Amino acid sequence: MTTHTVTIANRDGATYAVNGRRPLLEQLRDQGVDLPYGCEYGGCITCAAKLIDGEVDQRRQVALNNRQIENGYVILCVARATTDITLEIGVESHDRLYRNPFLDPLKPHELKADIASPKV
Amino acid sequence: MSECCGPGYASPAEAIRAPREKLLYTIAIYTGTGIQRPDYLATVDVDPDSPTYSQVIHRLEMPGIGDELHHMGWNACSSCFDDGSMSRKYLILPGVRSNKLHIVDTATDPRAPRLHKVIDGAEIKAKADLSGPHTVHCLGSEIIISFLGNAKGEAPGGYLHLNKDFEIQGRWESSMGEIKFGYDFWYQPRHNVMVSSEWAAPNTFMPGFDLEEVGHLKYGRELHFWDFEKREPVESFYLGEDGLLPLEVKFHHNPDSTHGFCGAALSTNVIHWWKDDAGKWQWEKIIDVDNEMHPDWPIPLPGVMSAILISMDDKYLYLNNWLHGDMRQYDISDPHNPVLTGQVFMGGLLGKAPKVNGVEVAGGPQMFQLSLDGKRLYVTTSLFSTWDNQFYPEIRTKGGVMVMIDCDPVNGGMKINEDFIVDFGKEPNGPSRCHEARYPGGDCTSDIWL
């Protein structure tokens, strides 16, 4: 089976081997990484991490809007690695995850995928 | 007092004469805070004669992390007053994100509640196709819980039915009709009516509040009237711009009354409904809190009225403006014409009360519970972890607080009590966030009379 290496940038660059079949949250927790999580189906954003390098398949997530995706966020409870990746984990990585919508509105293309309009 | 051996009180009037509360329970969360600990049920000492007054005296941790405890409810209330086989013993604590239901025994040792049973979230999904639990009410000896989504987190969800031994009976409702979203509900059995309100799908509100999604109709704006015995909705009111995010619904405590109220959170309005002389349900907007301008922000700031509460004598309605930072008291003796009788600020984004009793308040007034005699209002500051993180990011390091407001139930008026404050920023495992509160002997949001 193909394995990929996950490097956790904000845990002193610790590395873990994962496969591409199972979600990252499950595989990293099995290897002792202490990660936040909530719903475990891709809907609640609690487990969001920032992807610094590499690629994941997170088609099953429904929590992120397009701005959050553009800023690199991935939902670990459903995301699977498709290459070697580097992540920042935990709330320390959430600096751009939350925004005050009265201060900083989303543009139409930055909404969640089901209601976003194409970028012009 | 009437002689009886069931839980609660014979009537609202008897509830008002009950002994003063000495303990209260509030949930406190670590979900979304960065602290990798379970959420917990905190016991707060509210007996002014006790040496540990105004302190957390016990913490019951849940078995797992990431639940997001939120609202709670009892296994039994005054609706079982004449049933000697029932007692108000168990508090049900749903985890909004984990979908678990925690059944907590508060009677064996009221100061130190213990976990009785956990219903697994996956079992609820498998047996009832529900997720995102919110409001818990007992129905006589049985229990129903509103869930805001199906197993995939899509609206409108439905109602889980548990028997008195906390076994899943399946879905309670016969039909959700055309209802688009779920949230809170309250029922008034003498009129065979239940009213339910609308927040959004779990997949919409759990990740945080994208204001832009309101215009895309991903948040609710309707109230639904149910035939309670047939368990199906029969009439809906489209509230439009006056009723964006209609959240908490409360009937008068008087079981003969048809009057009820809903706080529309984003519109920051109170909606009043009643049955007219011809037997038709009517509604009107009775309170409209104006938006405020924040000096640095382009979009006017709504109050965000996330909760309302009716005093046990049905005389006062309390509401919060989570973003503005004020709690208000209205005299609703004439429910068509409320009169503002009290207002205090605690926290909020307008900078009007950054400190209360020496504690810096992160967040604004959010959930509250009133004593049965109407004199003490306990108020907490956290709304929901992801929403807190958007509007009040400093709550991560400061935690939530519980404040007590002295209320005058005769002449009206509110004043922050200077001797009471519970700073959840100082919890032993780090800053947590307190939310809903309940008293062991019943309170102003638990009891319904048949």
Side-chain angles (χ1 to χ4, degrees):
Chain A
M1 191 191 313
T2 312
T3 61
H4 304 294
T5 300
V6 179
T7 304
I8 301 185
N10 60 338
R11 293 292 181 274
D12 297 326
T15 58
Y16 302 88
V18 298
N19 62 51
R21 280 190 306 110
R22 288 159 56 221
L24 286 159
L25 178 79
E26 180 189 331
Q27 295 191 70
L28 292 171
R29 288 189 68 224
D30 283 349
Q31 296 180 63
V33 185
D34 192 15
L35 290 164
Y37 62 92
C39 73
E40 297 184 90
Y41 71 84
C44 94
I45 224 166
T46 306
C47 68
K50 203 188 277 179
L51 183 67
I52 307 297
D53 194 32
E55 287 175 18
V56 302
D57 173 355
Q58 60 168 342
R59 279 173 292 182
R60 282 174 52 203
Q61 76 79 21
V62 290
L64 298 172
N65 61 42
N66 284 346
R67 185 193 286 182
Q68 290 162 327
I69 291 170
E70 184 68 22
N71 286 332
Y73 287 103
V74 294
I75 299 297
L76 295 182
C77 69
V78 295
R80 291 152 169 85
T82 56
T83 67
D84 290 349
I85 59 173
T86 301
L87 295 171
E88 276 180 22
I89 62 168
V91 299
E92 310 100 279
S93 71
H94 291 180
D95 57 315
R96 303 183 75 178
L97 188 65
Y98 298 109
R99 85 196 152 95
N100 180 334
F102 297 100
L103 178 60
D104 185 14
L106 293 179
K107 298 182 181 71
H109 71 272
E110 293 178 323
L111 299 169
K112 285 182 190 147
D114 60 330
I115 50 171
S117 45
K119 190 174 183 179
V120 287
Chain B
M1 293 269 181
S2 302
E3 287 299 318
C4 198
C5 39
Y9 309 95
S11 65
E14 294 220 352
I16 292 168
R17 291 194 288 270
R20 175 180 172 151
E21 71 287 350
K22 293 189 170 172
L23 298 174
L24 65 77
Y25 304 121
T26 183
I27 64 93
I29 61 165
Y30 282 122
T31 302
T33 67
I35 293 172
Q36 292 286 87
R37 301 284 302 203
D39 299 347
Y40 58 100
L41 182 68
T43 309
V44 178
D45 185 339
V46 293
D47 176 1
D49 297 326
S50 162
T52 51
Y53 177 59
S54 183
Q55 293 176 28
V56 177
I57 57 169
H58 184 264
R59 298 166 185 86
L60 173 68
E61 287 196 335
M62 299 299 109
I65 68 166
D67 288 312
E68 185 121 26
L69 300 181
H70 194 62
H71 285 222
M72 321 179 244
W74 293 102
N75 69 309
C77 76
S78 296
S79 63
C80 282
F81 181 67
D82 56 5
D83 182 350
S85 72
M86 293 300 295
S87 62
R88 193 185 328 246
K89 178 171 181 183
Y90 298 104
L91 198 52
I92 299 146
L93 282 64
V96 178
R97 292 174 199 267
S98 67
N99 217 36
K100 290 178 196 162
L101 299 177
H102 307 87
I103 316 296
V104 172
D105 167 7
T106 65
T108 303
D109 181 353
R111 296 170 69 87
R114 58 191 70 180
L115 192 62
H116 172 69
K117 178 179 179 179
V118 177
I119 304 175
D120 190 58
E123 183 187 351
I124 294 166
K125 287 184 177 181
K127 291 185 175 169
D129 188 26
L130 289 171
S131 76
H134 193 271
T135 301
V136 180
H137 278 301
C138 56
L139 305 172
S141 61
E142 311 233 316
I143 296 152
I144 62 172
I145 304 171
S146 60
F147 280 67
L148 278 52
N150 63 13
K152 294 177 176 174
E154 296 160 347
Y159 295 82
L160 183 72
H161 182 191
L162 300 178
N163 69 12
K164 64 185 166 67
D165 298 318
F166 312 108
E167 293 160 337
I168 294 175
Q169 304 298 293
R171 294 283 278 263
W172 171 80
E173 79 278 11
S174 307
S175 163
M176 288 294 282
E178 301 297 310
I179 290 176
K180 297 182 191 71
F181 305 104
Y183 184 65
D184 195 21
F185 67 101
W186 193 279
Y187 63 99
Q188 195 68 305
R190 292 188 190 176
H191 297 283
N192 187 33
V193 65
M194 178 173 106
V195 176
S196 70
S197 60
E198 296 189 334
W199 191 11
N203 292 346
T204 301
F205 73 78
M206 283 202 302
F209 182 50
D210 282 358
L211 174 65
E212 303 81 1
E213 295 193 331
V214 176
H216 286 268
L217 304 181
K218 293 183 77 167
Y219 283 88
R221 47 183 77 181
E222 295 187 41
L223 282 179
H224 306 285
F225 288 69
W226 294 62
D227 182 317
F228 189 55
E229 286 171 8
K230 289 186 181 164
R231 305 181 178 189
E232 61 187 27
V234 290
E235 186 173 3
S236 294
F237 287 140
Y238 179 78
L239 308 172
E241 297 292 316
D242 279 335
L244 300 176
L245 283 68
L247 295 187
E248 291 218 339
V249 290
K250 311 282 187 218
F251 267 102
H252 270 160
H253 298 286
N254 172 5
D256 290 322
S257 173
T258 64
H259 293 271
F261 306 87
C262 174
L266 188 64
S267 303
T268 319
N269 292 331
V270 175
I271 306 297
H272 163 226
W273 71 78
W274 72 99
K275 197 181 243 184
D276 69 15
D277 293 340
K280 268 183 64 72
W281 291 105
Q282 303 285 351
W283 73 275
E284 63 183 351
K285 176 179 72 173
I286 55 167
I287 296 169
D288 186 337
V289 176
D290 289 336
N291 292 346
E292 300 264 358
M293 283 312 294
H294 184 284
D296 304 324
W297 299 353
I299 300 174
L301 191 66
V304 179
M305 185 190 297
S306 44
I308 61 168
L309 184 148
I310 310 295
S311 63
M312 193 52 76
D313 61 3
D314 293 330
K315 184 177 175 189
Y316 292 104
L317 181 148
Y318 292 89
L319 64 84
N320 71 314
N321 291 302
W322 187 56
L323 296 184
H324 292 174
D326 57 321
M327 282 294 310
R328 297 188 185 189
Q329 177 199 54
Y330 286 85
D331 184 331
I332 53 164
S333 300
D334 174 359
H336 300 282
N337 295 294
V339 178
L340 181 64
T341 48
Q343 182 180 30
V344 296
F345 279 84
M346 46 178 282
L349 290 169
L350 299 176
K352 295 197 178 178
K355 268 191 182 182
V356 172
N357 296 350
V359 175
E360 286 182 39
V361 178
Q366 211 294 127
M367 285 304 297
F368 33 98
Q369 186 56 271
L370 185 66
S371 59
L372 289 167
D373 63 9
K375 294 178 180 172
R376 293 167 302 283
L377 186 70
Y378 299 90
V379 188
T380 57
T381 49
S382 155
L383 194 156
F384 192 62
S385 63
T386 40
W387 293 40
D388 294 343
N389 294 343
Q390 285 181 274
F391 295 101
Y392 293 105
E394 67 279 12
I395 200 170
R396 247 189 77 195
T397 51
K398 290 181 179 164
V401 297
M402 177 182 281
V403 171
M404 186 171 104
I405 298 172
D406 292 321
C407 301
D408 183 337
V410 178
N411 304 306
M414 313 170 83
K415 185 175 180 301
I416 288 177
N417 184 293
E418 295 177 359
D419 298 323
F420 183 95
I421 191 155
V422 187
D423 181 0
F424 282 79
K426 300 243 165 49
E427 284 291 275
N429 291 314
S432 68
R433 304 177 194 171
C434 44
H435 190 67
E436 203 199 33
R438 303 264 171 175
Y439 313 142
D443 45 55
C444 289
T445 65
S446 294
D447 288 68
I448 289 175
W449 282 270
L450 298 178

